């Protein structure tokens, strides 16, 4: 029995008309011209519009946050800059629907109960993978746990969960939803996945370059695993959304609550350069193991 068949009984038909109500029809003649553009041009235009809309907001916020473009971001600067960037995605998504004459379901966002089931399964799988990695590292003496910070973890877990779910949904909708689907108009699914995952990885350089550069292979592989999750889920981004949210939630919560620290016994290339899991063998193995778990469900 496949994952798709388990969830079919919970399906609720999507209503595309709800989303069309937000898009003025008089723009159609202008937007339809874009429909025949090559996939690369569509994605490039999407990113350019996104940047143009966000940059003035970022510059205004940057003055208040003492940040300038192309400078490394501090932790307390990233979220205020990320929020307006991601709040633009619904409008860009609606614009894409009009240009492509598609619905949200074409990009993997189904308003069905099985989306929540996939979200839950992905969360469990993502958190489970992280748990195994950190338990192994603790057993090998590479890190120590700070149980005295459990109360702090309890206070932070819920707000970080909400942020992780929102960030993961936004990124899955853009990269595994819109970009993957548009690329498949001109390329086979695997080539599309590799290109979309490359864009996903490279755009992380916007926030920080020194710690992000060693993570680029891991970020690319993460993107590929999340594409596979969409294929496994019958085209829905729900499973990838859950995986992505679980990884973000777990890592961000542990870091914010200072739940662990490294002993220095593990090599950087194993645990992660700059203590970033995606920049080390352990993080890569976690992603590969996740893909092996998903693979048997891939029809």
């Amino acid at each position: 029995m496949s994952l798709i068949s388990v969830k079919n009984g919970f399906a609720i038909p999507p209503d595309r008309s709800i989303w069309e109500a937000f898009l003025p029809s008089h723009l159609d003649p202008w937007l339809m011209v874009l429909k025949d553009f090559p996939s690369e041009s569509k994605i490039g235009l999407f990113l350019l519009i996104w940047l143009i809309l966000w940059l003035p907001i970022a510059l205004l916020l940057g003055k208040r946050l003492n940040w300038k473009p192309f400078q490394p971001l501090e932790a307390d600067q990233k979220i205020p800059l990320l929020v307006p960037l991601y709040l633009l995605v619904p409008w860009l998504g609606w614009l894409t629907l009009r240009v492509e004459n598609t619905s949200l379901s074409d990009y993997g966002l189904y308003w069905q109960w099985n989306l929540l089931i996939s979200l839950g399964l992905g969360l469990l799988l993502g958190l489970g993978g992280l748990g195994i990695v950190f338990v192994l590292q603790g057993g090998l003496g590479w890190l120590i746990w700070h149980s005295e910070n459990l109360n702090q973890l309890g206070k932070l877990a819920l707000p970080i969960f909400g942020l992780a779910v929102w960030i993961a949904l936004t990124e899955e909708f853009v990269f595994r939803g819109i970009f993957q689907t548009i690329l498949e108009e001109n390329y086979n699914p695997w080539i599309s996945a590799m290109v979309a995952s490359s864009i996903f990885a490279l755009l992380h350089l916007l926030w920080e370059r020194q710690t992000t550069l060693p993570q680029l292979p891991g970020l690319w592989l993460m993107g590929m695993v999340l594409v596979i999750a969409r294929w496994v889920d019958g085209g829905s981004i729900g499973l990838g959304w859950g995986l992505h949210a679980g990884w973000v939630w777990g890592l961000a919560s542990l870091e914010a609550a200072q739940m662990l620290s490294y002993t220095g016994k593990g090599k950087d290339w194993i645990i992660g350069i700059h203590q970033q899991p995606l920049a080390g063998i352990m993080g890569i193995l976690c992603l590969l193991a996740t893909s092996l778990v998903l693979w048997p469900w891939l029809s």
Side-chain angles (χ1 to χ4, degrees), residues 8-34:
N8 277 343
F10 296 90
I12 300 174
D15 184 0
R16 181 181 170 188
S17 62
I18 295 174
W19 303 101
E20 290 181 339
F22 290 92
L23 298 169
S25 59
H26 68 267
L27 292 177
D28 283 0
W30 298 96
L31 298 179
M32 286 299 100
V33 175
L34 302 176

Side-chain angles (χ1 to χ4, degrees), residues 17 42 59 62 80 94 125 139 215 256 278:
S17 62
K42 292 178 183 177
L59 292 175
W94 295 333
L125 183 56
Q215 297 183 72
L278 288 178

Side-chain angles (χ1 to χ4, degrees), residues 262-276:
Y262 290 93
T263 62
K265 295 180 180 179
K267 301 292 186 181
D268 285 349
W269 61 272
I270 298 177
I271 63 174
I273 300 170
H274 303 301
Q275 298 182 358
Q276 298 295 322

Side-chain angles (χ1 to χ4, degrees), residues 41-54:
S41 300
K42 292 178 183 177
I43 291 175
L45 188 59
F46 184 105
L47 293 172
L48 180 61
I49 294 173
W50 200 4
L51 178 64
I52 289 173
L53 292 174
W54 173 73

Side-chain angles (χ1 to χ4, degrees), residues 183-216:
L183 284 166
E184 288 184 12
E185 294 175 1
N186 298 115
Y187 303 100
N188 72 53
W190 282 104
I191 295 296
S192 300
M194 288 188 282
V195 173
S197 297
S198 298
I199 297 170
F200 171 70
L202 291 170
L203 286 179
H204 280 76
L205 293 169
L206 174 68
W207 304 113
E208 222 287 326
R209 283 164 293 284
Q210 183 177 357
T211 59
T212 301
L213 280 171
Q215 297 183 72
L216 287 180

Side-chain angles (χ1 to χ4, degrees), residues 119-133:
L119 172 63
L121 290 172
L123 280 168
L124 290 174
L125 183 56
L127 291 173
L130 284 181
I132 292 172
V133 167

Side-chain angles (χ1 to χ4, degrees), residues 250-261:
L251 292 173
S253 297
L254 292 174
E255 181 179 358
Q258 299 180 348
M259 282 298 301
L260 57 84
S261 59

